[in-house]
Amino acid sequence: MKQWIRTLLTFDIVLEAVRYKMSELSYLGTLFDRVTYLQNMLVAQATGGAGDNADYQVIRTELLGNPTIATMTPRCVKTNRNLDQFWQFIKFEYGTYADRRQYLWQEFNPLLEYLEKGQIHPAQQSISDVLQNFDSDSIHYAWTKALERKVRDPEGAITIARTILESVCKHVLEELGIDYNSSSIELSDLYKLTAKELNMAPEQHNEPIFKQILGGCSGIVNGLGTLRNKLGDAHGHGKHPVKPQARHAELAVNLAGAMSLFLISTYEANKNNT
């Protein structure tokens, strides 16, 4: 038991150190900036200079914690946990400074090109366009923040994901002139009210497949509300909090975006048909 407690305390200390180091890197505002910094650090390490090992480990952890980004992360970063290991790899693999620079530039190029284009999947771009046109001042801003925080702040991203869906529902209801309790209504009840006004409630349809799909949509919304309460940063946690990972935030943000897109598209279609 004592050994387990010591291990847990050590993990907490390391986690706190990582968080502190991430705050030190906050001047590198985007993942593109941090990857560029990482590339330059490795070039310096490989050509007679020296990099910051703590910075290397923090950025490496961030990259490998994102399932999409991890697939494009250079193999030399994946397989070398610190700069000493990287140096042992590069000095024997490539004999000249020029060869080392060329190798690193080629290895980082796919990831940097992807990030330079905004690290947005086609589905995310579609959602982003719709949200911007629907309400550029608040909902689209929240969507952008959720995308930015998926890796660095999963708890915050999960909370924002729920907020996006809530904001879309309220916006639609206000546009339709429907009253709701803005101070205490739960997301699940808010969605039910919105869905009913948009003819999206399962009980409003007879076709089994539509009832199944629309029922699934209600389940997604209920799940997002529960996920936010369990893993988001909007509430306090007990002695043994569950820490969300980047994949959890990715799921929550994408689900919230897809449901928001469906609500907005249905609202626009209904408006055009009246």
Side-chain angles (χ1 to χ4, degrees):
M1 176 63 74
K2 290 182 178 179
Q3 179 61 39
W4 180 82
I5 293 174
R6 283 197 295 269
T7 301
L8 185 61
L9 289 174
T10 300
F11 174 77
D12 287 341
I13 292 171
V14 171
L15 184 60
E16 189 60 34
V18 169
R19 287 173 176 165
Y20 175 75
K21 198 62 183 175
M22 285 295 288
S23 68
E24 281 192 330
L25 294 174
S26 61
Y27 72 95
L28 299 169
T30 67
L31 187 54
F32 176 83
D33 294 333
R34 293 188 291 281
V35 173
T36 301
Y37 171 64
L38 177 63
Q39 177 186 247
N40 293 337
M41 180 197 306
L42 292 182
V43 169
Q45 187 78 19
T47 56
D52 186 311
N53 192 59
D55 286 354
Y56 172 82
Q57 291 177 321
V58 167
I59 298 174
R60 176 180 181 271
T61 298
E62 179 180 8
L63 297 181
L64 298 184
N66 183 318
T68 301
I69 299 298
T71 62
M72 291 178 281
T73 298
R75 180 169 175 77
C76 63
V77 175
K78 292 180 182 179
T79 57
N80 295 291
R81 297 178 179 273
N82 54 55
L83 291 179
D84 288 338
Q85 291 181 2
F86 169 75
W87 170 243
Q88 293 302 316
F89 157 74
I90 199 73
K91 73 177 181 179
F92 292 113
E93 194 74 18
Y94 297 95
T96 68
Y97 286 179
D99 288 341
R100 294 171 188 174
R101 290 192 193 95
Q102 189 63 32
Y103 164 75
L104 289 169
W105 290 337
Q106 289 177 349
E107 285 291 290
F108 274 88
N109 188 59
L111 177 56
L112 286 171
E113 280 193 348
Y114 174 74
L115 295 175
E116 196 170 26
K117 294 175 182 177
Q119 56 177 323
I120 296 178
H121 298 292
Q124 291 178 346
Q125 183 62 59
S126 175
I127 294 168
S128 182
D129 291 342
V130 171
L131 292 180
Q132 187 168 28
N133 292 329
F134 188 64
D135 182 359
S136 59
D137 290 335
S138 59
I139 298 175
H140 183 259
Y141 176 77
W143 170 250
T144 302
K145 284 298 179 184
L147 292 178
E148 291 175 355
R149 294 184 183 182
K150 286 187 299 184
V151 176
R152 301 187 69 190
D153 181 15
E155 292 176 337
I158 289 171
T159 298
I160 295 173
R162 192 261 191 199
T163 300
I164 290 169
L165 193 50
E166 178 182 325
S167 297
V168 169
C169 288
K170 289 181 176 179
H171 190 111
V172 169
L173 291 173
E174 289 167 7
E175 287 291 316
L176 294 173
I178 305 300
D179 292 330
Y180 62 90
N181 188 334
S182 60
S183 60
S184 63
I185 190 169
E186 292 292 328
L187 176 60
S188 57
D189 295 328
L190 187 66
Y191 174 78
K192 286 180 183 177
L193 181 58
T194 308
K196 184 177 180 181
E197 293 298 325
L198 294 177
N199 196 36
M200 288 171 49
E203 63 272 15
Q204 293 174 308
H205 297 266
N206 296 321
E207 186 67 33
I209 186 61
F210 290 135
K211 293 176 72 72
Q212 181 181 0
I213 290 173
L214 294 174
C217 289
S218 297
I220 287 173
V221 174
N222 293 339
L224 283 172
T226 303
L227 186 67
R228 178 259 196 174
N229 292 335
K230 290 282 287 185
L231 301 182
D233 62 1
H235 298 287
H237 298 287
K239 293 174 64 177
H240 305 291
V242 178
K243 291 291 184 181
Q245 303 298 314
R247 66 181 185 275
H248 303 134
E250 181 92 24
L251 177 63
V253 171
N254 289 343
L255 286 174
M259 285 305 306
S260 297
L261 180 60
F262 187 36
L263 286 168
I264 294 170
S265 298
T266 304
Y267 165 71
E268 296 289 349
N270 291 350
K271 184 173 66 173
N272 292 334
N273 290 332
T274 58

